[in-house]
Structure formats: C-alpha cells, structure tokens
Amino acid sequence: MGCSMSFFSSPEAETASEGGAGPAPRHRTVGVRVGSVMVGGGAPIVVQSMTNTDTADVDATVAQVAALARAGSEIVRITVDRDEAAAAVPKIRERLDRLGVDVPLVGDFHYIGHQLLADHPACAEALAKYRINPGNVGFREKKDRQFGAIVEQAIRHGKAVRIGANWGSLDQELLTHLMNENAASARPRDMRWVTREAMIQSALLSAARAEEIGLGRDRIILSAKVSAVQDLIAVYQDLARRSDYAIHLGLTEAGMGTKGIVASSAAIGILLQQGIGDTIRFSLTPEPGGDRTLEVKTAQELLQTMGFRTFVPLVAACPGCGRTTSSVFQELARDIQNWISTSMPEWRQTHPGVENLNVAVMGCIVNGPGESKHANIGISLPGTGEQPTAPVFIDGKKAMTLRGPTLAQDFQKIVLDYIDKNYGQPGRDAAE
C-alpha cells in the first residue's frame, strides 16, 4: 500500500459558509451503495450504529439489530472476529429478513478478516459492506497480501468496503516513516499533526491500493476516527480536501452520557456544517444494561436539529422558570414526546410525512401563544397565577381552549386527530 505521500504544503481550511447564513454546500463525493442504502453522491446523510452483542449469539444479535433498525439506524455494523461469528452472520441475515428487517449489515474485521471471508463465503455474501482497519489488517510483509485478499472478496461478492483508519490502531510503519520525515524537515510539525497526517495517508493509500486491485471508487468509503474533538475536525477537513471518496464520520470512544453526546455533537456538527460527511455514527458508551439505541436517537436529533433531515415530529417545550412552578407542562411535554417516540415505527408505515410535524407544549402566557402559533399544534398551559385554561392553536390559529383534569389526554387526542387528518393515507381504513 506504499509508504508515504507529500504533505508539507497542505492548504488551509476553507471557510464553511459566507456570513454564517447556513451550512456549506455538501462536499461532493462518489456515491456508494450499501445494500439498499446510498451513501454519498448527494444522498441524504445516513445514520448508522453498531451492535455490542457477541455475533455468535444469533438470538441476541438479531434482537439488537432489529431494535437499532426500528429506532432508525439505516446501516448496522456487527463484529466478525472468529469462525463462530462468521458462521452466524448468514443466520442473522436470514432471521432479520424473516422479520422484515432489511437493514444492511456491515462486517467489522480485524487481523483475520481475509481468512474469515475466504472460509465463510456465506458470511461474505450476507454482509453488505466490509470494514477494514489498515492498521489491523496485517503486519510487515503480510499487510499488503491480507488487505488485498479482503478487497478481492469484496470484488467477488459485489460489496462495498469502508477503509477506516483509527487513532488507537494506526499503521505503525507509516507513522514511523512520517515521524522520521518530519524530524528531517526544515520546519517540523508537532507530533499530533504528524499523527493526523499518518491517519489520512493510511486511508488514502489504502483506497488507492484497493482501486489498483480492481475495486471501484463507487465501492469505497473512508473514515479517520479519533477521540479528541479538535483533532477529528482537523483530520476530516483535510481528508475531504484531498479526496472525493464517500466519508463516514464518527468520534471514536466518545464516552458515556452527556460527555459522549456533547463531544460527538460538537465534532460531527461542525463538520456537517462545513458540508463534510455522508454517514455518521455516535459511538456512545451505554450505561451497564443501557439502551443501545440511544446512539441512533442522538445522531438523528443532531441531523434534524441542524436541518439536514427529519425523522420524528419535533416537540418544542419551554425550559421553565419562576412563572411555571407547576409541573403540568413538563409532564405533558414528556408524555407527548414518549408517545410520539413509541408510535413512530408504526407511523412511518401508516402516516408518511408525519416526521415533519411540529408540536409546542408551553408553560405560560409569555411565549406560549406565540410559540404555539408557529407550530402545527401548540398548547399554552397556565403559569403561576394565570387562569386555569389552556388555549390550543392549530396551524397558527386558536382552535379551542382546554380545561380540567383530562387536559393532557384531550390534547393528545387533538394531536392524533391532526395526524390522522393530515398524514393518514386516504382509503387505508376502508381497505382494511
């Protein structure tokens, strides 16, 4: 895969957008088909996730893949680390197909991927994409041969490949070469810069080698993951400037809870605003026994909040203040949000377009009526000292006023009636 590329004259980053009026135009990349999903080439930014089950456990893996897909993951990666896992992959694919879950599966290979794909052709066929880490594909004289063997399997089976360099498992031979070259330079760079450059070169040299072997450019996706926000931004800015391969974004080892969410959102959000990125993943560490689908929901929320895609109806709610000492508006906002979340898998099939719905649940008269008018449906609940009434606005006009202990249930019914009227499929009920 070669050893180095010239890198001491790389240009400065371009401005994302003039005047900050909106995101920069999307970085143009070659489209790659992964199963039924298009990545890059101007296609909508794709949300992907990864299981944390033992792939050899077919039942557990099928259940988690199905849950991730129902949550909205459009591609799911699974670990293929040994013979038992490889043998399980076609069974997992078959079970998912029987369940009507057609999400493409990506095989995550390290060290012995070439051997597993050769020994388990049914696994090679069942996967939609192979993920190769150039730093873990082999060492010394075996590296090129084993990398080439995986690429040849991808060509044979008509599959896409993600070449994913990673900060924690970088090609040490390449890194050492670049460090020596940097040390001999008249103007040496700092070591973090050299390490980022090694990641970029690892991905680009590997992609070039894959093309030499015969893999089409429309079968290659690149990633270069690190765990520090500023490094991630710098790496992907440079990678995008130097190639037109489809790009997968992700902050590796992002962390747990709010730390992981904030770090991933900051790094990925900045890159998306600059037009960089065709598919994203939030690599969140779940709580013990926690919900794996959180990484899907947060990725969707980032894309929807930034205006790139819509996945679920938006529920706007005020944060509360001294005017909203009652918890009624908080409970109603929570209940509406949870109800929408649990209903979306069905609504996607029965109410196309419902993801564009905006609902407002406001806590007092200060911003309540105004925010409610901007939503498709909004309710302004009474604040401290206000009359115990709640005006409801539909498409910008006051439609009714709710009162009494069933206010929450009444409003939920109004929302459902609006959804049925505006997003329900005509003739569906009659046909059923």
Side-chain angles (χ1 to χ4, degrees):
M1 286 181 281
C3 205
S4 73
M5 304 166 68
S6 177
F7 65 92
F8 287 102
S9 59
S10 61
E12 295 299 319
E14 297 178 1
T15 302
S17 60
E18 289 192 19
R26 291 278 299 279
H27 169 60
R28 291 188 178 183
T29 59
V30 177
V32 178
R33 184 160 294 282
V34 180
S36 59
V37 177
M38 180 61 73
V39 175
I45 299 164
V46 173
V47 172
Q48 106 176 37
S49 60
M50 184 176 184
T51 60
N52 61 355
T53 58
D54 178 357
T55 304
D57 186 338
V58 174
D59 291 342
T61 303
V62 167
Q64 191 170 91
V65 171
L68 291 166
R70 283 194 296 269
S73 184
E74 294 157 304
I75 297 174
V76 177
R77 183 158 50 115
I78 60 177
T79 298
V80 187
D81 58 345
R82 62 195 196 280
D83 285 308
E84 292 82 358
V89 170
K91 299 174 185 176
I92 292 167
R93 180 72 273 168
E94 181 183 358
R95 288 267 297 276
L96 289 168
D97 290 341
R98 288 207 304 266
L99 292 171
V101 179
D102 63 353
V103 64
L105 297 178
V106 178
D108 194 48
F109 294 101
H110 296 276
Y111 307 112
I112 59 170
H114 62 291
Q115 181 179 327
L116 293 174
L117 287 168
D119 292 347
H120 299 272
C123 168
E125 184 58 37
L127 295 169
K129 183 174 72 173
Y130 310 154
R131 190 268 183 157
I132 312 172
N133 182 338
N136 287 342
V137 74
F139 304 101
R140 298 183 180 88
E141 71 280 355
K142 295 182 179 179
K143 181 171 62 177
D144 283 359
R145 184 172 70 252
Q146 293 176 182
F147 176 85
I150 299 176
V151 171
E152 288 168 358
Q153 288 290 340
I155 295 169
R156 182 175 298 115
H157 294 278
K159 306 300 181 179
V161 167
R162 172 158 73 91
I163 297 173
N166 192 290
W167 190 267
S169 50
L170 194 51
D171 183 333
Q172 292 302 303
E173 183 180 355
L174 175 60
L175 179 60
T176 299
H177 177 86
L178 292 180
M179 284 182 173
N180 292 336
E181 183 179 332
N182 182 59
S185 171
R187 298 176 60 187
R189 305 286 191 115
D190 65 77
M191 296 315 299
R192 295 184 76 85
W193 191 95
V194 177
T195 305
R196 293 196 301 264
E197 177 64 23
M199 290 186 62
I200 295 166
Q201 290 204 25
S202 179
L204 291 177
L205 289 166
S206 297
R209 177 59 183 146
E211 287 196 68
E212 288 174 5
I213 295 170
L215 188 66
R217 207 172 187 84
D218 61 349
R219 294 284 184 183
I220 300 172
I221 298 172
L222 299 186
S223 66
K225 293 187 175 183
V226 303
S227 57
V229 170
Q230 295 296 343
D231 286 316
L232 189 87
I233 294 167
V235 164
Y236 276 105
Q237 286 174 335
D238 210 358
L239 183 62
R241 282 197 300 271
R242 292 158 66 173
S243 79
D244 63 354
Y245 293 107
I247 290 177
H248 168 75
L249 298 182
L251 186 76
T252 190
E253 287 90 41
M256 183 178 287
T258 56
K259 186 271 181 186
I261 294 172
V262 170
S264 292
S265 297
I268 296 173
I270 288 171
L271 290 165
L272 292 176
Q273 187 71 7
Q274 295 177 354
I276 300 168
D278 300 300
T279 174
I280 67 173
R281 182 196 170 201
F282 273 48
S283 299
L284 304 180
T285 304
E287 296 285 347
D291 184 3
R292 188 69 170 179
T293 63
L294 179 62
E295 67 177 50
V296 178
K297 297 169 186 173
T298 50
Q300 287 182 326
E301 287 178 12
L302 178 68
L303 291 176
Q304 184 154 340
T305 299
M306 295 186 71
F308 290 107
R309 294 187 64 182
T310 53
F311 297 96
V312 297
L314 286 177
V315 179
C318 66
C321 66
R323 300 177 63 93
T324 56
T325 52
S326 168
S327 63
V328 174
F329 84 96
Q330 297 165 325
E331 294 165 359
L332 180 56
R334 177 200 62 200
D335 293 346
I336 291 290
Q337 186 77 64
N338 290 342
W339 171 58
I340 286 173
S341 179
T342 56
S343 300
M344 273 308 295
E346 179 184 348
W347 285 352
R348 285 191 187 99
Q349 305 300 321
T350 61
H351 295 76
V354 70
E355 63 273 10
N356 297 304
L357 176 71
N358 289 322
V359 180
V361 179
M362 307 304 293
C364 78
I365 199 171
V366 173
N367 293 322
E371 288 285 353
S372 297
K373 288 177 183 177
H374 288 303
N376 298 110
I377 307 174
I379 186 169
S380 181
L381 294 162
T384 304
E386 296 177 17
Q387 292 294 318
T389 60
V392 175
F393 297 82
I394 298 178
D395 292 329
K397 297 180 180 179
K398 183 177 177 181
M400 63 199 73
T401 299
L402 300 180
R403 299 178 176 83
T406 62
L407 183 150
Q409 296 92 318
D410 295 341
F411 182 65
Q412 184 168 312
K413 184 179 185 306
I414 293 168
V415 175
L416 183 56
D417 289 344
Y418 184 94
I419 290 171
D420 284 338
K421 178 182 177 182
N422 291 277
Y423 303 103
Q425 296 173 322
R428 182 182 178 87
D429 293 338
E432 292 177 348

